[in-house]
Amino acid sequence: MDVPAGRHLVYQTSLMSALLDGIYDGDTTVATLLAHGDFGLGTFNALDGEMLILDGVCYRMRVDGTVAPAAPGDLTPFAVVTEFIPTVTIPVTGPATRDQAVALINETLQSANYLYAVRLTGEFEWVRVRAVQRQEKPYLPMSEAIRGEKTLEFGRSTGVVAGFRTPLYGQGIGVPGGHVHFVDADRQHGGHVLDFALLSGTIEICIGTDLHLELPLTPEFKNADLSPDNLADQIEQTENHR
């Protein structure tokens, strides 16, 4: 992929580091997110489920793996969205692990300095996910909130793994590397992706050159610790369940 010829906007509300610090309530609605794009991911207030936006529909994926459309007035403490206009398509004709799929994406991108929206549509041998449990106040930091959290594994199914690849310099703003969620073709089950085995599929990539970041105007965000010494460790623990 060469240097992009045009600019492409990504909209984000709040920071990943704020979510890690237990800032689980925001004032941005699903309707606002959809006004900024038809593709994205995030979570909902009180960590009440994982969020995935595909083809202009916002889905809520609960802790039991079930999926349902979110309401326009539902609120989010953290989300990233864009208009998904793929400029690169990569066919995957044979089986691939998650690591192999990521390596294929990285080889194709050539530059690690941009933000990319990635959508993998395919047939999976299995997908391992987790979804956050709704939290009650006073909120615990995310590393404690997910402690003991169960994972789910879905067997052979067709579906979509989608999310964003964030540059390493974006640590704390987003999740460095890949942050992806899964939903099956029937939009019946899904969650935050931990691992998968792909049988075949198609990877589509949309480059993001501009980031519109809106920060919450709340006392909780104002007083949050957004740059802890162990930020990288917290992200690794919460995103990859390690």
Side-chain angles (χ1 to χ4, degrees), residues 133-169:
Q133 176 72 52
R134 178 183 174 86
Q135 302 295 298
E136 302 294 338
K137 293 181 178 179
Y139 295 140
L140 296 172
M142 184 175 282
S143 60
E144 297 179 39
I146 68 167
R147 190 169 295 161
E149 187 178 50
K150 294 182 179 179
T151 62
L152 302 171
E153 187 167 305
F154 305 124
R156 187 161 180 160
S157 60
T158 300
V160 179
V161 168
F164 291 88
R165 184 192 184 285
T166 300
L168 292 178
Y169 61 75

Side-chain angles (χ1 to χ4, degrees), residues 39 54 84 105 109 116-120 160-165 179-180 203-206:
F39 175 98
L54 288 177
F84 192 76
I105 292 169
L109 294 180
Y116 299 97
V118 179
R119 174 171 176 156
L120 166 56
V160 179
V161 168
F164 291 88
R165 184 192 184 285
H179 179 191
V180 291
I203 300 171
E204 297 172 290
I205 301 172
C206 170

Side-chain angles (χ1 to χ4, degrees), residues 90-133:
I90 309 170
V92 184
T93 57
T97 65
R98 177 178 178 170
D99 287 345
Q100 289 170 332
V102 169
L104 182 59
I105 292 169
N106 290 341
E107 292 168 6
T108 303
L109 294 180
Q110 297 181 6
S111 175
N113 295 333
Y114 296 101
L115 178 64
Y116 299 97
V118 179
R119 174 171 176 156
L120 166 56
T121 304
E123 185 176 359
F124 297 84
E125 183 177 357
W126 53 265
V127 182
R128 187 175 303 121
V129 305
R130 62 119 166 119
V132 289
Q133 176 72 52

Side-chain angles (χ1 to χ4, degrees), residues 65-86:
T66 58
V67 174
D74 288 345
L75 296 170
T76 175
F78 174 82
V80 188
V81 297
T82 193
E83 291 290 338
F84 192 76
I85 304 174

Side-chain angles (χ1 to χ4, degrees), residues 147-221:
R147 190 169 295 161
E149 187 178 50
K150 294 182 179 179
T151 62
L152 302 171
E153 187 167 305
F154 305 124
R156 187 161 180 160
S157 60
T158 300
V160 179
V161 168
F164 291 88
R165 184 192 184 285
T166 300
L168 292 178
Y169 61 75
Q171 178 173 271
I173 297 175
V175 179
H179 179 191
V180 291
H181 293 173
F182 169 79
V183 68
D184 74 316
D186 294 329
R187 307 303 191 247
Q188 295 296 309
H189 61 257
H192 174 100
V193 174
L194 299 174
D195 201 2
F196 61 76
L198 177 68
L199 294 172
S200 64
T202 301
I203 300 171
E204 297 172 290
I205 301 172
C206 170
I207 192 169
T209 60
D210 299 17
L211 178 62
H212 178 123
L213 177 62
E214 293 190 2
L215 303 178
L217 296 173
T218 63
E220 291 80 9
F221 184 87

